[in-house]
Amino acid sequence: MKKILLILLPLLFLNIVVYLLFQKTSIFKKESLLIAFAGPLGRDVGRDIVCAIRMLVDKVNNEGGINGKKIELRIYDDENNKAVAKRVASEIAEENEVLLVVGHYYSSTSAVAGEIYRKHEIPVITGSATADSVTRENDWYFRTIPNNSLQASFIANYIYRSLMKQSVSIIYDKDDYGVSLLGGFQKAAEKIGIEVRKVWKLDTDDKKNLDKELKRIADELIAMKDPGMVFIATHSTEGAKLITRLKDSGKPFSIFGPDAFSGQTLLKRLKKYGRKDAPPGYYPSGLYCVTPYMNGIGNERTYRFEQEFFRRYQKKSTWGPVCFYDAILVAVEAMKRVEFQDNIWEDRRRLRDSLMNFYDEKRSVEGLTGYIYFDEKGDINRPYVIGTYDEHERLLPAYSQYQQITNMEKIDNVLQRVLDGGISVIDGKAMRRNRVVHSGIYINKIDKLDVMNSTFTADFYLWFRYTGNFDYQNIRFMNAVNPLRLGKAIIEETENGTTTRVFRLRTDFKAKFDFHSYPFGHLTLPIHFRHNFETWESLIFVQDNSDIPSSASDVPSEQHMKWGRKDMKPISGWKVREVICHQDMLTKISSLGQLDYLNSPHKISYSRFNTKIILEKTELKDVFRTFIPVIAIILVMYVACFIQPDRLGVRIATCTGFMIVNGAFHADFLTHFPVDYLTAIEYAFFAVYVFVIIYASMSVFIYRLYRKGNEGILKFCIWSEKILYPGAVSIFSVLFVYYFTRQP
């Protein structure tokens, strides 16, 4: 028997160990979801991307994680090097713990790493790699940025249709990034009729001869009589070397670059390779490029991201961190839809399938760059933003942009719009051309602030910058008390085809003040405008980041004349905490008066420009004055705690008085603030009701102890009443003030 036990016990122990290691038991279930980021940590853009990813990961974890599980982030440095990227991908695969990878940054590193991820069935999302080869034949790779075929086709169409150029010269890098840009551009150019005059190929792997080759290409371009538009399909370093040589020749070149030219890296390289005595903005000024995202052209959601990024890291975000934020965002949303089994292989497949389920706008994730959903290749299909650098090295939205059309059936006169150039087919996608009007508001003064009626008077400058014709007289201020016409501009300037008009306005506006935190909190004073007739399909307002002209005598000096304005004259009892300017879309549903659309009404969307002036209280005495009735009742109630326990009638009469007085002040407040929700001061009134009820209950209890002659307990309760009451009031007051004075 003992021998049998000696044999069976080790076998039983071994079975238990195997079961615990390989079965899904609750004690070994993972408490976190592991995500990896792989990118160039030695570069600013790589570190900024990590910052953006951590912003969202921290937010998700602080809100309880995903189905109770926190996200754990692992960081890997691939140095933007293919060999290192391959080693990093192998390390991630061998560890066999990561659910999903966010990365890599370059197309070349993404392509080589993608082969390993595909082999080990690890889903990956990149926010920057645009070469077609990254996602081609790899159904485990996704991206939140359009690919190079779409980018190059988009650039070709923009050069031809918006810039009216009919010939180009091309320089491209022979890596995946440059080759896919070249292929997409040539295909589109042949289709629309652009003449490609010459093509040069760069071998960036040949470090020894690279600078000689760049000099040779630049010299040949300079020698050409008319090279047309110069399309530089390279990375920022090689692009900067070419641009500085071309600019230093003194010959006027029109240059267009890819998304690699839209970040701070290009500007740094231009300063590095350009002449030291060149004036600021000399090299980038006039340069066109595309970008998946641009500061100032988004909505309030993107504005809040930009503000939070700057608050946390004391730097502005570029498109790289934004697109990778979208990558981690769509990953989080996909995870929320997965029932994880704690089997890494099965969980990865489920997560990949969840990502593939975002396949149209109805089944998408709203990111910072727009709605995110993938086609059968794992790509997103939407146009880039076209930007152009000004003399201050700022990348500003061009005056003509394109938007993808998702429903051609509701577009009238399609053929005519195609013939007029209003609609183009770019890489198989129907795109609508939009006119962009740069807009700004500068607040001079806010007065006649009527908190009770939610109105205020604003004195402000309004300006527009645009090309061509713009019907500015049909601007509609949506929350103006009375209709407002712009009248005659106080400044009207036209330079290089760009018109600037400045107006000075003063009128009353309506607002929907939020009194949830009254008398704490803040007030938001909005100014909204849109065009009366031109819809979003033809007109988009964007925030103007330039200085307003100051040639008129009544316009402040240029260095102070920025959009918004936080340093305006204080309003009595209030100070300006923040001024927000952004554009968004206002959508209305209408049948357009046509019987055919009664069952399928049109969505009519307008571009809306918004300015929000956020005020906060400056004088505590105003807050204190509002709470005087509550404070007085609480203090008198504490004095009432010293009334003898045998005077029950006096105590109850006192309680009745407290209720009547508190109720009277509460009713008076409601007559002045007839809102259909509870405010902070009302919570204080209700707290008084509760304290009075507790006091009355305690008085009855103490009186009964007195009648029974239970001296020991009676004495304890009397002293407890005198000590616990101020303690409870103090704790409630601290929590109350903290809750209602938090930043929104």
Side-chain angles (χ1 to χ4, degrees):
M1 186 67 180
K2 289 182 179 179
K3 290 182 179 180
I4 295 173
L5 286 174
L6 288 173
I7 294 172
L8 290 178
L9 284 175
L11 289 174
L12 179 62
F13 177 76
L14 181 62
N15 285 330
I16 292 172
V17 170
V18 170
Y19 177 80
L20 290 175
L21 287 175
F22 295 98
Q23 299 300 314
K24 294 174 282 185
T25 61
S26 61
I27 60 174
F28 280 95
K29 283 188 176 180
K30 292 182 179 178
E31 297 302 322
S32 62
L33 302 171
L34 192 57
I35 294 177
F37 167 72
L41 301 184
R43 296 178 57 183
D44 289 342
V45 66
R47 292 188 290 270
D48 289 350
I49 288 169
V50 172
C51 290
I53 290 173
R54 288 197 186 280
M55 277 176 59
L56 185 60
V57 169
D58 291 346
K59 180 176 182 292
V60 172
N61 287 341
N62 291 337
E63 292 174 354
I66 299 173
N67 299 324
K69 293 186 177 183
K70 299 294 181 71
I71 297 175
E72 181 184 341
L73 183 65
R74 287 189 183 173
I75 310 296
Y76 298 84
D77 186 4
D78 71 359
E79 302 175 19
N80 269 348
N81 181 287
K82 290 191 287 187
V84 177
K86 194 171 183 178
R87 186 178 72 243
V88 166
S90 299
E91 182 182 342
I92 292 172
E94 289 169 6
E95 290 172 351
N96 203 32
E97 295 178 331
V98 170
L99 269 174
L100 174 138
V101 177
V102 177
H104 294 236
Y105 187 72
Y106 270 4
S107 293
S108 55
T109 54
S110 298
V112 296
E115 296 175 6
I116 296 170
Y117 298 136
R118 178 180 60 185
K119 179 181 177 181
H120 291 83
E121 298 186 344
I122 303 173
V124 201
I125 310 174
T126 179
S128 59
T130 53
D132 295 23
S133 58
V134 173
T135 57
R136 186 190 299 130
E137 297 179 4
N138 188 345
D139 54 2
W140 291 87
Y141 226 123
F142 302 83
R143 60 176 138 218
T144 55
I145 184 172
N147 65 25
N148 275 352
S149 288
L150 178 58
Q151 177 181 171
S153 180
F154 186 73
I155 291 172
N157 275 272
Y158 194 88
I159 289 173
Y160 183 76
R161 302 182 191 281
S162 293
L163 301 182
M164 312 300 285
K165 302 287 186 179
Q166 298 181 350
S167 60
V168 296
S169 297
I170 306 172
I171 307 102
Y172 76 99
D173 194 329
K174 75 165 195 174
D175 67 359
D176 289 339
Y177 180 74
V179 168
S180 55
L181 281 171
L182 174 70
F185 190 94
Q186 286 183 319
K187 183 179 177 181
E190 182 180 357
K191 186 178 295 185
I192 60 181
I194 294 180
E195 177 192 357
V196 179
R197 296 196 167 172
K198 193 162 184 179
V199 177
W200 292 270
K201 179 172 70 174
L202 272 177
D203 183 1
T204 50
D205 290 331
D206 184 5
K207 305 297 183 185
K208 184 178 179 181
N209 298 309
L210 180 59
D211 285 342
K212 291 181 181 178
E213 189 67 10
L214 287 166
K215 182 180 183 304
R216 181 185 68 81
I217 293 171
D219 289 343
E220 290 184 15
L221 265 170
I222 294 167
M224 292 178 69
K225 183 178 180 181
D226 181 15
M229 175 70 75
V230 179
F231 176 43
I232 304 178
T234 68
H235 296 285
S236 58
T237 299
E238 294 72 37
K241 291 179 178 180
L242 283 167
I243 292 168
T244 52
R245 289 183 182 274
L246 295 177
K247 285 273 192 172
D248 285 341
S249 71
K251 186 175 180 179
F253 284 95
S254 297
I255 302 173
F256 212 121
D259 60 309
F261 286 20
S262 62
Q264 288 295 315
T265 304
L266 177 74
L267 298 177
K268 291 178 181 178
R269 297 291 185 271
L270 289 173
K271 290 179 181 177
K272 179 179 179 181
Y273 301 124
R275 299 193 330 262
K276 303 304 178 186
D277 61 343
Y282 173 72
Y283 291 109
S285 179
L287 170 67
Y288 285 91
C289 67
V290 296
T291 176
Y293 168 85
M294 186 178 293
N295 291 343
I297 205 169
N299 53 28
E300 188 168 0
R301 182 189 182 100
T302 59
Y303 173 84
R304 291 297 180 189
F305 168 83
E306 293 166 9
Q307 293 294 102
E308 177 65 14
F309 190 92
F310 186 82
R311 186 188 67 80
R312 290 180 63 157
Y313 307 116
Q314 298 303 303
K315 62 174 72 173
K316 288 185 177 181
S317 172
T318 56
W319 67 261
V322 169
C323 288
F324 272 94
Y325 184 95
D326 276 354
I328 198 75
L329 176 65
V330 75
V332 166
E333 292 303 318
M335 286 179 175
K336 290 178 180 178
R337 292 160 171 77
V338 174
E339 292 184 11
F340 292 110
Q341 303 297 309
D342 291 326
N343 179 314
I344 191 68
W345 298 99
E346 179 62 25
D347 288 345
R348 286 171 180 166
R349 292 189 192 98
R350 292 186 176 211
L351 182 53
R352 191 273 308 268
D353 293 343
S354 181
L355 287 167
M356 294 177 71
N357 282 333
F358 299 124
Y359 58 83
D360 61 22
E361 192 169 323
K362 292 181 180 178
R363 300 165 187 83
S364 64
V365 177
E366 186 178 0
L368 298 178
T369 57
Y371 290 100
I372 303 168
Y373 55 94
F374 306 106
D375 63 13
E376 65 280 358
K377 297 177 183 177
D379 292 333
I380 64 169
N381 295 303
R382 64 164 174 259
Y384 281 81
V385 178
I386 303 293
T388 179
Y389 285 96
D390 69 358
E391 64 276 11
H392 301 294
E393 300 185 350
R394 295 175 300 197
L395 185 61
L396 304 176
Y399 290 104
S400 180
Q401 303 287 341
Y402 283 87
Q403 299 290 338
Q404 186 171 349
I405 301 172
T406 57
N407 190 346
M408 289 291 292
E409 295 178 359
K410 294 188 176 181
I411 303 296
D412 297 326
N413 302 319
V414 174
L415 180 59
Q416 186 61 46
R417 294 193 184 194
V418 171
L419 295 174
D420 293 341
I423 293 178
S424 302
V425 178
I426 302 176
D427 200 34
K429 285 84 180 174
M431 305 280 184
R432 179 192 290 110
R433 186 166 64 183
N434 308 80
R435 182 224 305 265
V436 173
V437 174
H438 294 237
S439 310
I441 284 182
Y442 175 90
I443 305 296
N444 294 308
K445 186 179 181 183
I446 298 291
D447 56 13
K448 296 184 181 179
L449 177 61
D450 189 338
V451 176
M452 302 300 181
N453 295 309
S454 294
T455 61
F456 64 96
T457 302
D459 183 309
F460 60 97
Y461 291 99
L462 168 70
W463 71 92
F464 303 108
R465 296 183 199 272
Y466 56 91
T467 57
N469 297 317
F470 170 51
D471 182 13
Y472 56 87
Q473 289 296 352
N474 269 301
I475 292 297
R476 176 185 173 189
F477 286 87
M478 304 175 62
N479 63 319
V481 174
N482 299 304
L484 176 64
R485 290 190 62 83
L486 298 186
K488 184 176 176 57
I490 61 172
I491 298 176
E492 184 174 342
E493 298 177 350
T494 300
E495 184 178 356
N496 297 324
T498 300
T499 300
T500 302
R501 277 190 168 91
V502 184
F503 304 86
R504 181 160 187 173
L505 305 168
R506 177 181 172 84
T507 192
D508 299 328
F509 290 94
K510 296 175 288 187
K512 293 182 179 179
F513 292 151
D514 185 347
F515 294 111
H516 280 93
S517 298
Y518 182 84
F520 302 113
H522 65 280
L523 291 180
T524 300
L525 314 183
I527 299 175
H528 308 292
F529 69 79
R530 68 168 175 87
H531 200 274
N532 267 327
F533 308 117
E534 291 200 58
T535 62
W536 177 81
E537 286 81 3
S538 60
L539 173 65
I540 297 176
F541 294 108
V542 301
Q543 174 191 314
D544 185 46
N545 291 312
S546 303
D547 299 326
I548 188 173
S550 56
S551 55
S553 59
D554 61 340
V555 177
S557 59
E558 191 167 326
Q559 63 266 29
H560 298 300
M561 202 60 182
K562 305 288 186 179
W563 62 269
R565 190 188 181 192
K566 188 177 176 179
D567 60 341
M568 72 184 76
K569 184 179 179 180
I571 306 163
S572 178
W574 300 87
K575 70 176 180 179
V576 179
R577 192 182 75 198
E578 188 177 16
V579 178
I580 302 172
C581 290
H582 67 90
Q583 65 88 22
D584 63 6
M585 186 188 300
L586 175 69
T587 301
K588 294 185 175 183
I589 305 297
S590 173
S591 64
L592 302 178
Q594 299 184 35
L595 295 176
D596 294 342
Y597 294 151
L598 286 177
N599 295 324
S600 180
H602 262 42
K603 280 186 178 180
I604 306 175
S605 300
Y606 297 91
S607 177
R608 178 174 60 179
F609 190 85
N610 310 279
T611 297
K612 296 179 180 178
I613 306 106
I614 300 177
L615 308 178
E616 63 182 8
K617 281 283 188 181
T618 57
E619 299 181 7
L620 288 177
K621 65 180 182 180
D622 293 334
V623 177
F624 180 77
R625 189 183 299 116
T626 306
F627 282 101
I628 283 178
V630 172
I631 295 171
I633 293 172
I634 288 175
L635 291 175
V636 174
M637 196 183 306
Y638 181 65
V639 174
C641 291
F642 291 87
I643 298 175
Q644 293 299 316
D646 60 332
R647 308 293 297 274
L648 179 62
V650 177
R651 281 180 169 245
I652 296 299
T654 304
C655 290
T656 304
F658 291 153
M659 285 289 193
I660 293 172
V661 173
N662 192 61
F665 280 107
H666 191 174
D668 180 68
F669 170 79
L670 292 177
T671 59
H672 291 91
F673 286 84
V675 293
D676 55 359
Y677 50 82
L678 293 177
T679 62
I681 185 62
E682 284 190 272
Y683 282 106
F685 285 133
F686 283 119
V688 170
Y689 293 135
V690 172
F691 283 130
V692 171
I693 292 171
I694 293 173
Y695 175 77
S697 302
M698 196 70 179
S699 297
V700 173
F701 181 70
I702 290 174
Y703 179 74
R704 293 182 66 180
L705 290 175
Y706 168 77
R707 293 292 301 270
K708 291 180 180 180
N710 198 332
E711 293 292 333
I713 299 177
L714 175 63
K715 187 177 293 185
F716 174 78
C717 289
I718 291 173
W719 281 105
S720 297
E721 183 182 41
K722 296 174 182 177
I723 296 172
L724 292 179
Y725 175 78
V729 170
S730 299
I731 293 172
F732 170 80
S733 300
V734 170
L735 294 176
F736 178 84
V737 172
Y738 169 76
Y739 181 83
F740 285 107
T741 57
R742 293 178 302 171
Q743 296 291 317

